[in-house]
Amino acid sequence: MDKLKGYMGKVLFVDLTKKTYEEFPWSDEDRLRTIGGKVMAADILLNHVKPGMKPFDEDNWLVITTGPMTLCKSPSSSRFNISTVSPLTGILTSSNCGGPFGRNLKSAGWDAMIITGKAEELTWIEIENDVVTFHEVPEMKGMLTGEVQKQFPAGCGKLVIGPAGENKVLYACVFSGERTAGRGGVGAVFGDKNLKIVTAKGTNEPEIHDKERLGFLNEQWEMQLKRHPITGAQL
């Protein structure tokens, strides 16, 4: 099979306990079966979650996924998904979010990332292309999400929790810029893993099957968005 277009073709697997990272096996057949987003995450978790697994188990996975349109400059496509075993419900949760993180993760060369384990100290995961660096950031304990995000340049994507996540409030959120992954308490799982912030940036772009056709469709989509929803007149 030819390499599917629109994807970077790699999934990142990060272990906070061991402070290691590697590529997670994910084939083009897997991509065709799940496309991306929450279905991809659900498929990954289906083969990992065992009966009785708890949200705050060290082996609970956070699965952050993009889709084939992410970073392809299409309207409304700069989104990503966070899935895990929910501390609020005890079952699988999926929280969809806007903000800059999804496109930056993909520009770093990754369609998705999986996070497992627990760090000993409050931690920042820094992703820059193929390199992942672990930083201990105890000085950020108790900082609000906006305060944390100001510490990092605007050119990188950020996932960050505040005091609610650190204290494992069951409905705690994860922020990306001004957008929020607010369902199921995904921020509490970040807090349980001692994960304060994830940043991503890179220099990659997905290969597009037909750039000219995609550009035309994007223009049509944008024109439609500018029409009055009732009269159809151009706004």
Side-chain angles (χ1 to χ4, degrees):
M1 179 190 298
D2 292 337
K3 181 179 179 295
L4 290 177
K5 307 301 188 292
Y7 296 95
M8 306 312 301
K10 296 191 301 180
V11 174
L12 176 64
F13 186 88
V14 173
D15 189 322
L16 282 165
T17 303
K18 300 176 182 177
K19 293 186 177 180
T20 59
Y21 64 97
E22 61 186 335
E23 185 175 342
F24 182 80
W26 197 253
S27 67
D28 272 357
E29 287 78 7
D30 295 322
R31 293 177 185 91
L32 278 173
R33 188 179 71 254
T34 64
I35 305 300
K38 64 175 62 181
V39 177
M40 176 184 181
D43 190 90
I44 290 171
L45 287 167
L46 174 67
N47 293 294
H48 172 70
V49 174
K50 302 297 186 293
M53 180 175 284
K54 305 298 183 187
F56 297 146
D57 286 351
E58 185 173 327
D59 197 31
N60 184 21
W61 285 4
L62 281 159
V63 183
I64 304 165
T65 51
T66 66
M69 297 302 292
T70 308
L71 201 60
C72 291
K73 302 178 182 178
S74 296
S76 304
S77 63
S78 181
R79 303 192 68 82
F80 62 95
N81 180 79
I82 304 178
S83 294
T84 190
V85 178
S86 167
L88 191 61
T89 66
I91 59 177
L92 177 66
T93 189
S94 172
S95 190
N96 191 268
C97 188
F101 184 80
R103 66 175 184 265
N104 279 278
L105 178 65
K106 207 162 175 181
S107 71
W110 308 97
D111 293 313
M113 69 179 298
I114 301 165
I115 303 170
T116 190
K118 293 187 181 184
E120 291 185 5
E121 293 281 351
L122 201 61
T123 295
W124 157 33
I125 296 175
E126 179 186 17
I127 305 166
E128 185 169 358
N129 291 321
D130 289 333
V131 178
V132 178
T133 308
F134 300 87
H135 307 270
E136 293 183 352
V137 287
E139 70 278 5
M140 289 187 177
K141 185 174 179 61
M143 290 180 65
L144 302 179
T145 57
E147 295 173 329
V148 175
Q149 293 191 85
K150 288 178 182 177
Q151 309 293 314
F152 298 90
C156 68
K158 290 156 274 194
L159 293 181
V160 59
I161 61 168
E166 291 175 18
N167 289 286
K168 296 190 278 190
V169 174
L170 299 184
Y171 48 86
C173 306
V174 174
F175 279 76
S176 173
E178 297 178 349
R179 304 303 180 91
T180 309
R183 293 186 177 184
V186 292
V189 180
F190 267 64
D192 181 67
K193 294 184 177 301
N194 252 336
L195 181 58
K196 182 68 173 181
I197 182 167
V198 182
T199 63
K201 65 178 180 179
T203 55
N204 302 280
E205 290 187 5
E207 186 178 353
I208 307 301
H209 171 67
D210 188 336
K211 283 188 176 182
E212 184 175 345
R213 178 65 175 168
L214 180 62
F216 170 77
L217 292 173
N218 287 344
E219 288 178 4
Q220 295 300 305
W221 192 349
E222 290 170 2
M223 288 176 61
Q224 190 64 36
L225 290 174
K226 294 176 182 177
R227 293 185 183 278
H228 192 282
I230 298 175
T231 67
Q234 198 74 31
L235 298 177

